[in-house]
Amino acid sequence: MTLFDSPAFEGHEGVHAFSDEKTGLKCIIAVHSTARGPAAGGCRMWPYASADMALEDALRLSRAMSFKNAMADLDLGGGKSVIIGDSRTQKTPQLFEAFGACVDQLGGRYWTAEDVGVSPADLMNARKRTRYVAGLEGNPAASGDPSPVTAEGVFRGVRLCVQRALKRDLDGVRVAIQGVGHVGGYLAEKLHAAGAKLILTDVNAEALHAVAARTGAQLVAPGAIFDVDCDVFAPCALGGAINAETLPRIKARVIAGAANNQLADAETGRAVFNHGLLYAPDYVINGGGIINVAGEIRALEAGQAFDPAWVDAKLDRLARTLEEVLDRAASENRPTNEVAGEIAKTRITLAAENKAAA
Ligand code: NAD
């Protein structure tokens, strides 16, 4: 199979591979769509076993960013970059400067930011060679840690799903959270403040006990989180939490959490629906983080300070989009992930048509 026949390549405007002998940089920048605006998505540094695996990841992630940015109603398309390498041993300031020069070659068609293995300090180095970098620190446009904003969006989404599926508010609702890192920790605090009863797990015992001390939560071992009695299951760790093995064990009526790629595949979305569970599509409910980054891009472009009120208005709009997904899925009796995919594709296609007509 060639690149052009690969299902992951489908719909991509461009895929760019760069190398720099001096710094050892090998990176791929995938631009899925610029229909709604410049492509935006983080940079991931990971020790991929092969260039093919890096390419596949870049393609999959950049398409997902198009969908996420469209559902967050941002004037941004979707893109992603990956650097092949071990972030613990192979990072140098020069490597990220060289990466910045690669981003710059795309002339503003792609904005980069943080993702796994990349820190604000790395981005500061990239920024020396390009202005198309968000997720910086120490300037008035800087947006800071996106996790609290992501958690706020997820919190609003959990509340909406509970109202729809259980016809009640959060007080007394039992929520099982898998992963209490940056987002899961903030989410736990918000749910606790709203009166929810929490059941938590994490492979990091220290983080787990710290969040439990703040929220009075019940704790379970990582493998047991799928079996607990709960109303809501909130995946906030890694992808693939909902799969053929875990789904039959989940007792919740709602699945709503922060993790990316929660469903093992699209068929799992249909299985979730057939089990009678209400699923909040991940790239809709977790859009708060990219909204925060978009706030920084907007401020940088205008030469202004970061505006939290703009971010909050976008979070409200995101909640309405989730409502639209749930309404349509209910009235058409279809899985929410299928409906969300259709809405995202329509928004991207419409923007492409408007751009072509302009
Ligand atoms: P994080 O690394 O801070 O937290 C993840 C937590 O999950 C960690 O505490 C880790 O120990 C735990 N974990 C890992 N494997 C586990 C397992 N098998 N069982 C239980 N716990 C496990 O990451 P984060 O920034 O909080 O992001 C969480 C998820 O949300 C990720 O999937 C991320 O891609 C997604 N997300 C994050 C943001 C954001 O703003 N940070 C935005 C959108 C999506």
Side-chain angles (χ1 to χ4, degrees):
M1 187 190 288
T2 70
L3 173 63
F4 297 109
D5 309 319
S6 153
F9 181 76
E10 193 209 330
H12 270 80
E13 288 179 14
V15 181
H16 310 261
F18 299 92
S19 71
D20 179 60
E21 219 169 283
K22 231 162 106 189
T23 59
L25 173 74
K26 283 194 171 66
C27 74
I28 296 169
I29 303 178
V31 175
H32 177 259
S33 168
T34 56
R36 294 180 61 90
C43 171
R44 179 169 291 192
M45 184 167 185
W46 194 256
Y48 295 100
S50 69
D52 277 351
M53 288 171 89
L55 175 63
E56 181 76 17
D57 211 26
L59 293 173
R60 196 176 53 81
L61 293 165
S62 64
R63 183 171 182 274
M65 285 313 301
S66 283
F67 279 43
K68 189 182 290 203
N69 292 340
M71 292 308 261
D73 196 28
L74 300 172
D75 295 332
L76 294 171
K80 199 88 180 182
S81 49
V82 299
I83 295 177
I84 302 173
D86 189 330
S87 63
R88 288 166 306 179
T89 55
Q90 288 173 283
K91 264 187 191 179
T92 60
Q94 294 74 22
L95 182 114
F96 276 89
E97 281 186 42
F99 169 67
C102 300
V103 171
D104 207 58
Q105 282 193 43
L106 270 64
R109 291 183 65 243
Y110 167 68
W111 276 79
T112 196
E114 259 182 90
D115 195 60
V116 178
V118 174
S119 69
D122 301 327
L123 294 174
M124 293 299 280
N125 286 316
R127 175 82 174 170
K128 290 178 189 161
R129 303 287 292 276
T130 184
R131 68 186 184 88
Y132 303 111
V133 183
L136 304 166
E137 283 173 343
N139 71 75
S143 57
D145 178 8
S147 308
V149 184
T150 303
E152 176 61 25
V154 174
F155 171 73
R156 295 181 191 187
V158 169
R159 192 173 52 199
L160 178 66
C161 290
V162 165
Q163 284 163 351
R164 291 295 170 92
L166 303 169
K167 312 273 179 264
R168 59 182 288 188
D169 210 0
L170 287 170
D171 195 23
V173 163
R174 295 160 302 167
V175 185
I177 305 182
Q178 182 198 32
V180 288
H182 288 98
V183 183
Y186 286 117
L187 177 65
E189 287 177 15
K190 287 172 188 289
L191 289 167
H192 172 63
K197 301 271 170 276
L198 302 179
I199 307 141
L200 310 178
T201 195
D202 199 295
V203 291
N204 178 340
E206 201 181 320
L208 183 61
H209 285 103
V211 177
R214 295 199 294 274
T215 58
Q218 178 193 337
L219 305 183
V220 296
I225 196 74
F226 302 102
D227 304 304
V228 299
D229 266 324
C230 63
D231 303 301
V232 179
F233 180 66
C236 297
L238 306 177
I242 316 297
N243 54 51
E245 194 270 315
T246 57
L247 180 59
R249 294 163 55 193
I250 296 174
K251 298 182 180 66
R253 292 282 310 284
V254 169
I255 297 176
N260 281 313
N261 305 320
Q262 291 170 29
L263 304 176
D265 46 41
E267 286 75 52
T268 307
R270 186 150 277 280
V272 167
F273 172 73
N274 291 338
H275 270 70
L277 274 71
L278 182 60
Y279 166 65
D282 44 18
Y283 59 83
V284 184
I285 195 172
N286 73 13
I290 193 67
I291 287 176
N292 206 51
V293 169
E296 179 169 337
I297 293 176
R298 183 175 171 271
L300 283 168
E301 288 291 77
Q304 288 170 356
F306 181 73
D307 178 5
W310 181 87
V311 169
D312 210 49
K314 283 287 178 192
L315 270 187
D316 285 344
R317 169 91 176 102
L318 186 68
R320 288 201 299 279
T321 296
L322 180 58
E323 251 181 302
E324 185 188 337
V325 171
L326 301 188
D327 285 346
R328 260 184 62 180
S331 70
E332 296 170 15
N333 199 27
R334 293 171 60 211
T336 49
N337 60 310
E338 290 181 16
V339 170
E342 267 174 28
I343 296 175
K345 278 186 201 158
T346 304
R347 287 186 179 186
I348 295 165
T349 307
L350 263 177
E353 285 169 5
N354 289 341
K355 198 174 164 187

